[in-house]
Structures are given as C-alpha cells and as structure tokens.
Amino acid sequence: MRIGLTGGIGSGKSTVAATWVALGATLVDSDAIARAVAQPGGAAMPALEAAFGPTAIAADGGLDRAAMRALVFSDAKAKQRLEGILHPLIGAECERQAAAAAPGQPIVFDVPLLVESKRWRAIVDRVLVVDATEQTQLARVVARSAWSPEAVRAVIAQQATRSARRAAADAVIFNEGLSLPALADEVRGLWDRWRGPDTR
C-alpha cells in the first residue's frame, strides 16, 4: 500500500510519519529529498545556479533557502522555474526509495505539497491529511523555530487551503488538543483499517 501523507506547516505531520514508521512502514520524505538535492554538491545545484544566479547560492555552495523563499513568494515565475528543476529530481528519488521497500511493506510518502502538485493522487492508494487550525500551526512553528509569525503566515498562504486538503483526503486526523499517545492511537486505527482484508 502506498499512502500519501500531507498537511500544512505545523500540523504535526512529521509526528504522524514517525508513528507510521514505528508501526513498520517505509517512509519516503520528499522534504528531506528536496533538501538533499539542493545541498552543497547536490544534483540540483548546477541547474539552480544557472537559473537563479550566484545570489541564490549560500556561502557553503548549497541553495540559499531564505533568499529563495523570499523570491518565490514574490515571483510566481521564479516559483515555477524552481519547481521545474526540483520536482523531477525529487520524484525520481521518491520512486527509487519506494522501490527499496520490502515486499508487502506499506510505503508512506510524506509530501507537504501533495494536493498542490496534483500528480500524487494517481500514484498513491490513500491520502491521509493531518489538519490543524491556522492559529495552532502558527503557534507550533514559532515555538519550534526562529521564524517570525509573518514568515509562517506567508508559508501558510502559499500552501493549499485546509478545505482543499480535506477534500482530497481519504482520512483526516484533526490534530488539535491531542496528546502524543492519542495521536498515535489515531494512526494505529488507520493502520489496522487500511491493512485489513479490504485494503481499498
């Protein structure tokens, strides 16, 4: 079974992904792959430098993420160029990692932009959305990072709406006020249902 896992920034998606792994799934983390291809010496770096110039490159030779984030938030064409470079590389590596899973082992694709990219619905069996209110997303990200509230709101504004994600879901975990054990129980319940005799 191939499960697409998505949710807005600060929704708790990474915690849910870790629970799937603890239950025996293989995790394919598209964000981690995106970071890897854009690190110093990464597969995307020559094309990124050619497309965006030296101002997009950090001192260590990797992508300057803060500069790129500011650019794509203000320039839709720049965002399209960036996605045109990264998405094929990320997709190929996702499939390579998925192919390495043991026979019969569930594969969880952690994809923050699953709804936005459109392609994922056709290549996963189920979509799980981790949902939270915008206020909760904001509070969690500010608490765990050095980001300003304005920066978090800018990311939220670039992502699919909560209603769009929920509409694309086969299951939704509403991660508001849940303790970690309660959240894990929600995931285990889905694991049992989706791994049952009728996996469709």
Side-chain angles (χ1 to χ4, degrees):
M1 174 173 285
R2 294 160 68 100
I3 298 163
L5 171 64
T6 194
I9 187 172
S11 64
K13 180 171 55 61
S14 296
T15 302
V16 170
T19 305
W20 281 106
V21 171
L23 289 167
T26 284
L27 177 64
V28 178
D29 185 338
S30 67
D31 251 5
I33 293 169
R35 289 191 295 273
V37 299
Q39 69 184 2
M45 289 312 302
L48 289 172
E49 185 165 12
F52 298 103
T55 57
I57 310 304
D60 65 0
L63 182 67
D64 186 329
R65 297 183 183 280
M68 186 57 64
R69 190 181 303 119
L71 176 62
V72 299
F73 282 170
S74 62
D75 184 340
K77 289 185 178 179
K79 181 181 179 183
Q80 290 174 349
R81 290 201 309 275
L82 178 66
E83 291 174 346
I85 294 167
L86 294 181
H87 285 186
L89 293 170
I90 294 168
E93 179 60 17
C94 283
E95 289 299 336
R96 189 195 68 78
Q97 292 186 16
Q105 185 177 30
I107 303 165
V108 175
F109 295 88
D110 182 341
V111 186
L113 302 181
L114 183 147
V115 174
E116 294 88 333
S117 71
K118 310 297 184 190
R119 65 181 287 268
W120 282 97
R121 178 69 267 191
I123 60 177
V124 297
D125 300 307
R126 300 287 178 88
V127 171
L128 170 60
V129 168
V130 186
D131 188 35
T133 65
E134 184 172 328
Q135 293 87 346
T136 295
Q137 292 178 260
L138 183 66
R140 287 173 178 163
V141 178
V142 169
R144 77 187 186 200
S145 70
W147 288 22
S148 68
E150 293 73 22
V152 180
R153 289 190 186 98
V155 171
I156 291 172
Q158 290 283 320
Q159 295 184 330
T161 63
R162 290 177 62 204
S163 61
R165 278 194 295 266
R166 293 173 73 101
D170 294 297
V172 176
I173 293 177
F174 186 50
N175 188 20
E176 287 281 340
L178 291 179
S179 65
L180 289 176
L183 182 59
D185 285 344
E186 293 269 355
V187 177
R188 276 192 292 270
L190 277 176
W191 173 274
D192 291 339
R193 289 200 297 277
W194 287 359
R195 298 260 300 158
D198 180 8
T199 59
R200 299 299 301 180

